Amino acid sequence: MKLPISESRFLREYWQQKPLLLPQALPGFSSPLSAEELAGFAMESFVESRLVAKSHGVWTQQAGPFNAQDFDRDDEWTLLVHGLDQWHAGVAALRTHVDFLPRWRFDDIMVSYAIDGAGVGPHFDRYDVFLLQGDGSREWRVGGHCDDDTPQLQANGLTLISEFEPTDTYLLAPGDILYIPPGVAHWGIARGESLTFSLGFRAPSIADLLAHRADNLLELLATTSLLEDMPDLPPGRPGEITLEHIRNAKDALANASDALDNHRWFGETVTRERASEADDFFDSQLSLTGPCVRLSGRTRVAWTEREQHLDVFINGETFEVPSSAIHNLMALCRQEHLVLAHLADADETLLTALVAMGAIEDCDNDGR
Ligand code: SIN
Ligand code: CO
Protein backbone atom coordinates (compact mmCIF):
# COMPACT_ATOMS: atom_id res chain seq x y z
CA MET A 1 0.00 0.00 0.00
CA LYS A 2 1.40 3.37 -1.03
CA LEU A 3 0.94 5.92 1.74
CA PRO A 4 1.22 9.64 0.91
CA ILE A 5 3.34 9.99 4.06
CA SER A 6 5.82 7.73 5.85
CA GLU A 7 4.47 4.77 7.82
CA SER A 8 5.92 6.19 11.03
CA ARG A 9 4.26 9.56 10.42
CA PHE A 10 0.96 7.81 9.69
CA LEU A 11 1.24 5.87 12.95
CA ARG A 12 2.22 8.97 14.92
CA GLU A 13 -0.26 11.50 13.52
CA TYR A 14 -3.22 9.65 11.99
CA TRP A 15 -3.63 6.06 13.24
CA GLN A 16 -6.57 5.98 15.68
CA GLN A 17 -6.74 9.78 15.52
CA LYS A 18 -7.52 11.45 12.17
CA PRO A 19 -8.94 10.38 8.79
CA LEU A 20 -6.54 10.31 5.86
CA LEU A 21 -7.10 9.98 2.13
CA LEU A 22 -4.59 7.70 0.43
CA PRO A 23 -5.02 8.52 -3.28
CA GLN A 24 -4.02 5.61 -5.51
CA ALA A 25 -2.70 3.66 -2.54
CA LEU A 26 -3.03 0.57 -4.76
CA PRO A 27 -2.38 1.83 -8.31
CA GLY A 28 -4.05 -0.24 -11.01
CA PHE A 29 -6.15 -2.04 -8.39
CA SER A 30 -8.68 -4.41 -9.83
CA SER A 31 -11.30 -6.00 -7.63
CA PRO A 32 -10.60 -9.67 -6.77
CA LEU A 33 -14.32 -10.41 -6.94
CA SER A 34 -17.34 -9.24 -8.90
CA ALA A 35 -20.70 -7.97 -7.64
CA GLU A 36 -22.24 -11.24 -8.86
CA GLU A 37 -19.79 -13.32 -6.82
CA LEU A 38 -20.51 -11.12 -3.81
CA ALA A 39 -24.24 -11.75 -4.22
CA GLY A 40 -23.45 -15.48 -4.37
CA PHE A 41 -21.70 -15.33 -0.99
CA ALA A 42 -24.67 -13.44 0.47
CA MET A 43 -26.86 -16.42 -0.46
CA GLU A 44 -24.81 -18.80 1.72
CA SER A 45 -26.07 -19.45 5.25
CA PHE A 46 -22.53 -19.65 6.72
CA VAL A 47 -21.67 -16.11 5.53
CA GLU A 48 -22.84 -13.05 7.48
CA SER A 49 -24.54 -10.52 5.22
CA ARG A 50 -26.92 -7.55 5.48
CA LEU A 51 -28.97 -5.54 3.06
CA VAL A 52 -29.56 -1.88 3.89
CA ALA A 53 -32.16 -0.03 1.87
CA LYS A 54 -33.74 3.41 1.83
CA SER A 55 -37.10 4.11 0.31
CA HIS A 56 -38.98 7.44 0.59
CA GLY A 57 -36.67 8.48 3.43
CA VAL A 58 -37.20 5.26 5.45
CA TRP A 59 -34.21 3.08 6.25
CA THR A 60 -34.54 -0.69 6.54
CA GLN A 61 -32.07 -3.45 7.27
CA GLN A 62 -32.40 -7.15 6.56
CA ALA A 63 -30.04 -10.00 7.51
CA GLY A 64 -28.95 -12.68 5.03
CA PRO A 65 -28.88 -15.28 3.62
CA PHE A 66 -30.64 -13.82 0.59
CA ASN A 67 -32.05 -15.19 -2.62
CA ALA A 68 -31.86 -13.72 -6.12
CA GLN A 69 -35.25 -11.97 -5.79
CA ASP A 70 -33.97 -9.98 -2.79
CA PHE A 71 -31.65 -8.15 -5.19
CA ASP A 72 -34.36 -7.37 -7.69
CA ARG A 73 -35.61 -4.12 -6.13
CA ASP A 74 -36.19 -0.52 -6.99
CA ASP A 75 -35.21 1.24 -3.74
CA GLU A 76 -31.69 2.49 -2.94
CA TRP A 77 -29.88 -0.56 -1.59
CA THR A 78 -26.48 -1.70 -0.36
CA LEU A 79 -25.42 -5.31 0.18
CA LEU A 80 -22.78 -5.83 2.88
CA VAL A 81 -20.95 -9.13 3.26
CA HIS A 82 -18.84 -9.51 6.39
CA GLY A 83 -15.68 -11.52 6.91
CA LEU A 84 -15.25 -12.26 3.23
CA ASP A 85 -11.51 -12.74 3.76
CA GLN A 86 -12.44 -16.01 5.50
CA TRP A 87 -13.97 -17.40 2.35
CA HIS A 88 -12.17 -15.82 -0.62
CA ALA A 89 -8.40 -16.13 -1.07
CA GLY A 90 -8.19 -13.04 -3.32
CA VAL A 91 -9.94 -10.93 -0.69
CA ALA A 92 -7.79 -12.46 2.09
CA ALA A 93 -4.68 -11.41 0.13
CA LEU A 94 -5.70 -7.76 0.62
CA ARG A 95 -4.73 -8.11 4.29
CA THR A 96 -1.08 -7.99 3.31
CA HIS A 97 -1.47 -4.33 2.29
CA VAL A 98 -1.82 -3.35 5.94
CA ASP A 99 0.99 -5.51 7.28
CA PHE A 100 2.74 -2.52 8.82
CA LEU A 101 -0.03 -2.42 11.44
CA PRO A 102 -0.35 -4.99 14.24
CA ARG A 103 -1.95 -8.01 12.59
CA TRP A 104 -3.43 -9.15 15.90
CA ARG A 105 -5.70 -6.11 15.73
CA PHE A 106 -7.03 -7.07 12.33
CA ASP A 107 -10.68 -8.06 12.34
CA ASP A 108 -12.06 -8.73 8.90
CA ILE A 109 -12.69 -7.54 5.35
CA MET A 110 -16.25 -6.52 4.68
CA VAL A 111 -17.28 -5.96 1.08
CA SER A 112 -20.19 -3.77 0.10
CA TYR A 113 -21.99 -3.35 -3.20
CA ALA A 114 -24.25 -0.31 -3.60
CA ILE A 115 -26.36 0.91 -6.45
CA ASP A 116 -26.13 4.51 -7.62
CA GLY A 117 -26.99 6.92 -4.80
CA ALA A 118 -27.18 4.24 -2.10
CA GLY A 119 -25.30 4.05 1.20
CA VAL A 120 -25.75 2.85 4.76
CA GLY A 121 -26.34 6.32 6.23
CA PRO A 122 -24.27 8.56 8.53
CA HIS A 123 -22.74 6.59 11.40
CA PHE A 124 -19.57 5.95 13.31
CA ASP A 125 -17.77 2.68 14.00
CA ARG A 126 -15.76 1.65 17.02
CA TYR A 127 -12.91 0.34 14.94
CA ASP A 128 -10.33 1.59 12.46
CA VAL A 129 -11.22 1.01 8.87
CA PHE A 130 -9.43 1.35 5.54
CA LEU A 131 -12.08 1.88 2.86
CA LEU A 132 -10.59 0.60 -0.37
CA GLN A 133 -12.54 1.42 -3.50
CA GLY A 134 -12.95 -1.61 -5.76
CA ASP A 135 -15.15 -1.08 -8.79
CA GLY A 136 -16.91 2.21 -9.59
CA SER A 137 -16.70 5.21 -7.31
CA ARG A 138 -18.07 6.23 -3.96
CA GLU A 139 -18.35 9.61 -2.31
CA TRP A 140 -17.39 9.65 1.36
CA ARG A 141 -18.63 12.42 3.59
CA VAL A 142 -16.61 12.63 6.76
CA GLY A 143 -17.54 14.50 9.95
CA GLY A 144 -16.14 14.96 13.44
CA HIS A 145 -15.46 12.66 16.38
CA CYS A 146 -18.49 11.01 18.01
CA ASP A 147 -19.06 9.11 21.23
CA ASP A 148 -21.90 7.67 23.30
CA ASP A 149 -23.25 11.21 23.85
CA THR A 150 -23.64 11.89 20.11
CA PRO A 151 -27.36 12.02 19.27
CA GLN A 152 -28.26 8.91 17.27
CA LEU A 153 -31.46 7.43 16.01
CA GLN A 154 -32.42 3.77 15.72
CA ALA A 155 -33.88 2.90 12.35
CA ASN A 156 -34.92 -0.75 11.94
CA GLY A 157 -31.72 -2.09 13.47
CA LEU A 158 -29.49 0.65 12.04
CA THR A 159 -27.92 3.23 14.34
CA LEU A 160 -27.53 6.51 12.50
CA ILE A 161 -26.23 9.91 13.55
CA SER A 162 -29.21 12.28 13.77
CA GLU A 163 -27.46 15.51 12.83
CA PHE A 164 -24.58 14.70 10.53
CA GLU A 165 -22.49 17.64 9.38
CA PRO A 166 -19.71 16.60 7.01
CA THR A 167 -16.48 18.56 7.21
CA ASP A 168 -14.81 16.85 4.24
CA THR A 169 -15.97 15.04 1.14
CA TYR A 170 -13.84 12.65 -0.89
CA LEU A 171 -14.65 10.92 -4.17
CA LEU A 172 -12.88 7.58 -4.31
CA ALA A 173 -11.92 5.80 -7.53
CA PRO A 174 -10.58 2.22 -7.79
CA GLY A 175 -7.31 1.89 -5.84
CA ASP A 176 -8.00 4.91 -3.58
CA ILE A 177 -8.21 4.29 0.15
CA LEU A 178 -9.78 6.39 2.88
CA TYR A 179 -8.66 5.69 6.44
CA ILE A 180 -11.27 6.35 9.13
CA PRO A 181 -10.32 6.07 12.83
CA PRO A 182 -12.73 4.81 15.52
CA GLY A 183 -15.51 7.26 16.38
CA VAL A 184 -15.25 9.46 13.27
CA ALA A 185 -18.60 10.08 11.54
CA HIS A 186 -18.80 8.97 7.90
CA TRP A 187 -21.28 8.22 5.16
CA GLY A 188 -20.49 6.59 1.83
CA ILE A 189 -22.72 7.27 -1.15
CA ALA A 190 -22.28 5.26 -4.34
CA ARG A 191 -21.75 7.25 -7.53
CA GLY A 192 -22.87 4.67 -10.05
CA GLU A 193 -22.62 1.02 -9.04
CA SER A 194 -19.88 0.71 -6.47
CA LEU A 195 -17.90 -2.04 -4.75
CA THR A 196 -15.94 -1.14 -1.60
CA PHE A 197 -13.64 -3.24 0.59
CA SER A 198 -13.53 -2.29 4.29
CA LEU A 199 -10.40 -3.55 6.00
CA GLY A 200 -11.37 -3.35 9.66
CA PHE A 201 -9.22 -3.38 12.78
CA ARG A 202 -10.93 -4.04 16.07
CA ALA A 203 -9.34 -3.63 19.48
CA PRO A 204 -9.80 -6.44 21.99
CA SER A 205 -12.03 -5.44 24.90
CA ILE A 206 -10.33 -4.74 28.21
CA ALA A 207 -12.97 -6.97 29.85
CA ASP A 208 -11.95 -9.92 27.64
CA LEU A 209 -8.25 -9.34 28.28
CA LEU A 210 -8.78 -9.06 32.02
CA ALA A 211 -10.96 -12.18 32.19
CA HIS A 212 -8.51 -14.24 30.15
CA ARG A 213 -5.50 -13.02 32.13
CA ALA A 214 -7.26 -13.86 35.40
CA ASP A 215 -8.14 -17.35 34.12
CA ASN A 216 -4.54 -18.01 33.06
CA LEU A 217 -3.16 -16.78 36.38
CA LEU A 218 -5.64 -18.83 38.39
CA GLU A 219 -4.47 -21.96 36.56
CA LEU A 220 -0.90 -21.25 37.65
CA LEU A 221 -1.55 -19.93 41.16
CA ALA A 222 -1.19 -22.36 44.04
CA THR A 223 -4.43 -22.38 46.03
CA THR A 224 -2.27 -22.45 49.15
CA SER A 225 -0.96 -18.91 48.51
CA LEU A 226 -2.50 -16.67 51.14
CA LEU A 227 -2.44 -12.94 51.67
CA GLU A 228 0.26 -11.88 54.12
CA ASP A 229 -0.09 -8.74 56.19
CA MET A 230 2.38 -5.92 55.75
CA PRO A 231 5.28 -6.03 58.22
CA ASP A 232 4.43 -2.69 59.87
CA LEU A 233 0.72 -3.46 60.37
CA PRO A 234 -0.71 -0.67 62.55
CA PRO A 235 -3.26 -1.53 65.23
CA GLY A 236 -6.78 -1.10 63.81
CA ARG A 237 -10.21 -0.15 65.08
CA PRO A 238 -12.71 -3.00 65.62
CA GLY A 239 -14.14 -4.22 62.29
CA GLU A 240 -12.31 -1.69 60.12
CA ILE A 241 -10.74 -2.29 56.69
CA THR A 242 -8.22 0.48 56.09
CA LEU A 243 -6.78 1.81 52.88
CA GLU A 244 -3.48 0.21 53.90
CA HIS A 245 -5.14 -3.22 54.05
CA ILE A 246 -6.47 -2.69 50.55
CA ARG A 247 -3.18 -1.35 49.24
CA ASN A 248 -1.39 -4.36 50.70
CA ALA A 249 -3.85 -6.73 49.02
CA LYS A 250 -3.52 -4.90 45.69
CA ASP A 251 0.29 -5.11 45.92
CA ALA A 252 0.07 -8.83 46.66
CA LEU A 253 -2.21 -9.35 43.64
CA ALA A 254 0.07 -7.34 41.37
CA ASN A 255 3.18 -9.21 42.60
CA ALA A 256 1.58 -12.62 42.14
CA SER A 257 0.30 -11.64 38.68
CA ASP A 258 3.69 -10.41 37.53
CA ALA A 259 5.55 -13.39 38.95
CA LEU A 260 3.26 -15.93 37.28
CA ASP A 261 2.48 -14.10 34.08
CA ASN A 262 3.53 -16.05 30.99
CA HIS A 263 1.98 -13.38 28.69
CA ARG A 264 -0.01 -15.99 26.83
CA TRP A 265 -3.38 -14.49 27.77
CA PHE A 266 -2.79 -11.67 25.31
CA GLY A 267 -2.08 -13.79 22.24
CA GLU A 268 -4.82 -16.25 23.18
CA THR A 269 -7.41 -13.48 23.55
CA VAL A 270 -6.61 -11.65 20.33
CA THR A 271 -6.47 -14.80 18.19
CA ARG A 272 -9.65 -16.32 19.59
CA GLU A 273 -12.03 -17.09 16.77
CA ARG A 274 -15.21 -15.13 16.49
CA ALA A 275 -18.20 -17.31 17.23
CA SER A 276 -19.28 -18.55 13.84
CA GLU A 277 -22.13 -20.70 12.68
CA ALA A 278 -19.72 -22.34 10.29
CA ASP A 279 -17.79 -24.10 13.07
CA ASP A 280 -19.59 -27.44 12.85
CA PHE A 281 -19.75 -27.31 9.09
CA PHE A 282 -16.04 -26.92 8.62
CA ASP A 283 -14.69 -29.05 11.48
CA SER A 284 -12.54 -32.03 10.60
CA GLN A 285 -12.44 -31.31 6.88
CA LEU A 286 -8.69 -31.37 6.92
CA SER A 287 -6.65 -33.62 4.72
CA LEU A 288 -3.54 -32.09 3.21
CA THR A 289 -2.59 -33.48 -0.13
CA GLY A 290 0.18 -30.99 -0.96
CA PRO A 291 2.33 -29.94 -2.64
CA CYS A 292 1.90 -26.67 -0.73
CA VAL A 293 -0.15 -25.21 2.10
CA ARG A 294 -1.20 -21.83 3.44
CA LEU A 295 -3.15 -20.52 6.41
CA SER A 296 -6.85 -20.92 5.91
CA GLY A 297 -8.77 -17.66 5.70
CA ARG A 298 -10.51 -18.31 9.01
CA THR A 299 -7.29 -18.76 10.99
CA ARG A 300 -6.01 -16.18 13.44
CA VAL A 301 -2.32 -16.57 14.14
CA ALA A 302 0.08 -14.47 16.20
CA TRP A 303 3.36 -15.28 17.89
CA THR A 304 5.80 -14.13 20.54
CA GLU A 305 9.53 -14.81 20.57
CA ARG A 306 10.59 -16.39 23.87
CA GLU A 307 14.17 -17.15 24.94
CA GLN A 308 14.16 -20.82 23.92
CA HIS A 309 11.19 -21.11 21.59
CA LEU A 310 8.25 -19.34 19.98
CA ASP A 311 4.82 -19.15 21.56
CA VAL A 312 2.49 -19.50 18.58
CA PHE A 313 -1.14 -18.56 19.15
CA ILE A 314 -3.58 -20.26 16.84
CA ASN A 315 -7.27 -19.43 17.18
CA GLY A 316 -6.97 -18.84 20.94
CA GLU A 317 -4.57 -21.67 21.84
CA THR A 318 -0.83 -21.59 22.54
CA PHE A 319 1.71 -23.95 21.00
CA GLU A 320 5.45 -24.06 21.73
CA VAL A 321 7.36 -24.18 18.47
CA PRO A 322 11.16 -24.28 17.88
CA SER A 323 12.62 -20.83 17.19
CA SER A 324 13.97 -21.92 13.82
CA ALA A 325 10.41 -22.12 12.45
CA ILE A 326 10.21 -18.32 12.61
CA HIS A 327 10.80 -17.70 8.89
CA ASN A 328 8.14 -20.09 7.70
CA LEU A 329 5.79 -18.82 10.38
CA MET A 330 6.24 -15.25 9.14
CA ALA A 331 5.75 -16.40 5.55
CA LEU A 332 2.41 -17.93 6.54
CA CYS A 333 1.45 -14.71 8.33
CA ARG A 334 2.24 -12.84 5.08
CA GLN A 335 -0.33 -15.11 3.36
CA GLU A 336 2.44 -16.93 1.51
CA HIS A 337 2.34 -20.65 0.90
CA LEU A 338 4.83 -23.27 2.13
CA VAL A 339 6.07 -26.11 -0.01
CA LEU A 340 5.67 -29.23 2.13
CA ALA A 341 8.72 -30.92 0.59
CA HIS A 342 10.93 -28.00 1.70
CA LEU A 343 10.02 -28.10 5.38
CA ALA A 344 12.66 -28.90 7.99
CA ASP A 345 12.08 -31.02 11.12
CA ALA A 346 11.56 -27.89 13.23
CA ASP A 347 8.71 -26.84 10.97
CA GLU A 348 6.91 -30.13 11.63
CA THR A 349 5.95 -28.95 15.13
CA LEU A 350 4.43 -25.83 13.63
CA LEU A 351 2.63 -27.79 10.94
CA THR A 352 1.30 -30.34 13.44
CA ALA A 353 -0.11 -27.51 15.58
CA LEU A 354 -1.73 -25.86 12.57
CA VAL A 355 -3.21 -29.14 11.39
CA ALA A 356 -4.53 -29.90 14.90
CA MET A 357 -6.30 -26.54 14.89
CA GLY A 358 -7.69 -26.97 11.37
CA ALA A 359 -5.78 -23.80 10.54
CA ILE A 360 -4.14 -24.73 7.27
CA GLU A 361 -5.30 -25.73 3.84
CA ASP A 362 -3.93 -26.86 0.50
CA CYS A 363 -3.06 -24.12 -1.96
CA ASP A 364 -4.92 -23.88 -5.18
CA ASN A 365 -3.25 -25.65 -8.08
CA ASP A 366 -1.69 -22.42 -9.24
CA GLY A 367 -0.03 -22.01 -5.82
CA ARG A 368 -2.33 -19.18 -4.68
C1 SIN B 1 -20.10 0.79 3.16
O1 SIN B 1 -19.25 0.08 2.61
O2 SIN B 1 -20.93 1.42 2.52
C2 SIN B 1 -20.15 0.90 4.63
C3 SIN B 1 -18.82 0.77 5.24
C4 SIN B 1 -18.71 1.66 6.46
O3 SIN B 1 -19.22 2.73 6.49
O4 SIN B 1 -18.02 1.28 7.43
CO1 CO C 1 -18.64 2.67 8.77
Side-chain angles (χ1 to χ4, degrees):
M1 180 159 93
K2 221 170 74 214
L3 291 169
I5 52 176
S6 69
E7 288 177 357
S8 41
R9 183 162 168 224
F10 175 77
L11 287 167
R12 206 173 48 241
E13 294 177 24
Y14 292 89
W15 177 240
Q16 307 221 292
Q17 301 166 57
K18 288 188 284 189
L20 181 68
L21 178 69
L22 285 52
Q24 287 303 285
L26 300 178
F29 178 70
S30 114
S31 171
L33 98 167
S34 65
E36 288 71 27
E37 280 176 276
L38 186 71
F41 279 105
M43 292 179 189
E44 301 286 1
S45 57
F46 56 84
V47 177
E48 188 192 341
S49 57
R50 297 184 287 140
L51 200 146
V52 176
K54 191 176 155 199
S55 179
H56 305 292
V58 179
W59 293 94
T60 51
Q61 173 168 241
Q62 219 183 314
F66 299 102
N67 55 47
Q69 290 80 48
D70 291 318
F71 307 130
D72 183 15
R73 45 198 312 138
D74 44 25
D75 49 11
E76 283 175 356
W77 61 280
T78 304
L79 173 68
L80 304 116
V81 182
H82 297 265
L84 207 57
D85 49 323
Q86 290 181 37
W87 313 113
H88 190 287
V91 175
L94 298 176
R95 295 173 186 160
T96 55
H97 296 302
V98 283
D99 264 351
F100 67 103
L101 296 162
R103 171 63 70 89
W104 53 261
R105 257 183 190 276
F106 192 81
D107 186 29
D108 79 336
I109 299 183
M110 192 263 287
V111 187
S112 73
Y113 163 84
I115 66 152
D116 184 30
V120 302
H123 66 278
F124 66 95
D125 302 306
R126 295 188 188 273
Y127 45 87
D128 306 81
V129 64
F130 290 86
L131 298 159
L132 160 65
Q133 188 59 30
D135 290 335
S137 52
R138 199 171 294 203
E139 179 183 307
W140 287 96
R141 300 177 185 172
V142 178
H145 283 267
C146 304
D147 55 28
D148 290 337
D149 296 330
T150 303
Q152 295 181 79
L153 51 95
Q154 304 293 330
N156 294 313
L158 285 173
T159 306
L160 302 176
I161 298 170
S162 342
E163 288 155 34
F164 175 62
E165 305 233 347
T167 48
D168 295 287
T169 299
Y170 307 96
L171 185 65
L172 267 64
D176 291 338
I177 292 180
L178 178 62
Y179 164 68
I180 305 275
V184 168
H186 56 283
W187 183 4
I189 299 168
R191 296 295 171 223
E193 284 179 279
S194 164
L195 204 62
T196 300
F197 296 79
S198 302
L199 285 70
F201 286 75
R202 193 184 298 267
S205 85
I206 299 289
D208 281 351
L209 290 173
L210 198 59
H212 202 97
R213 184 172 190 223
D215 285 348
N216 279 23
L217 290 171
L218 288 174
E219 273 174 27
L220 300 169
L221 187 70
T223 46
T224 46
S225 309
L226 300 178
L227 180 65
E228 290 174 10
D229 284 326
M230 55 270 205
D232 49 353
L233 182 72
R237 294 176 288 192
E240 186 182 17
I241 295 173
T242 65
L243 276 181
E244 279 74 29
H245 295 146
I246 294 172
R247 211 167 286 138
N248 179 56
K250 281 171 74 175
D251 286 351
L253 255 52
N255 292 341
S257 304
D258 282 348
L260 295 172
D261 197 348
N262 61 17
H263 298 176
R264 290 180 169 175
W265 50 275
F266 189 84
E268 289 172 2
T269 306
V270 297
T271 60
R272 229 173 0 199
E273 274 186 297
R274 308 284 185 266
S276 159
E277 291 163 20
D279 283 352
D280 297 340
F281 185 72
F282 283 89
D283 266 353
S284 70
Q285 298 231 330
L286 201 66
S287 62
L288 299 180
T289 53
C292 59
V293 292
R294 65 173 171 213
L295 285 188
S296 74
R298 304 183 62 230
T299 302
R300 290 179 175 270
V301 172
W303 53 275
T304 302
E305 191 163 20
R306 308 297 294 248
E307 248 167 61
Q308 307 286 340
H309 67 273
L310 306 170
D311 273 346
V312 180
F313 310 103
I314 310 171
N315 297 342
E317 291 197 27
T318 306
F319 295 85
E320 283 186 22
V321 166
S323 305
S324 55
I326 193 167
H327 300 291
N328 282 331
L329 178 57
M330 285 197 293
L332 287 170
C333 290
R334 284 193 300 265
Q335 312 281 137
E336 290 169 14
H337 65 257
L338 297 184
V339 178
L340 289 173
H342 295 172
L343 296 186
D345 285 350
D347 301 318
E348 288 299 326
T349 318
L350 174 62
L351 197 68
T352 307
L354 291 164
V355 169
M357 294 301 289
I360 204 146
E361 62 188 17
D362 284 314
C363 304
D364 302 338
N365 287 338
D366 58 1
R368 275 195 301 122

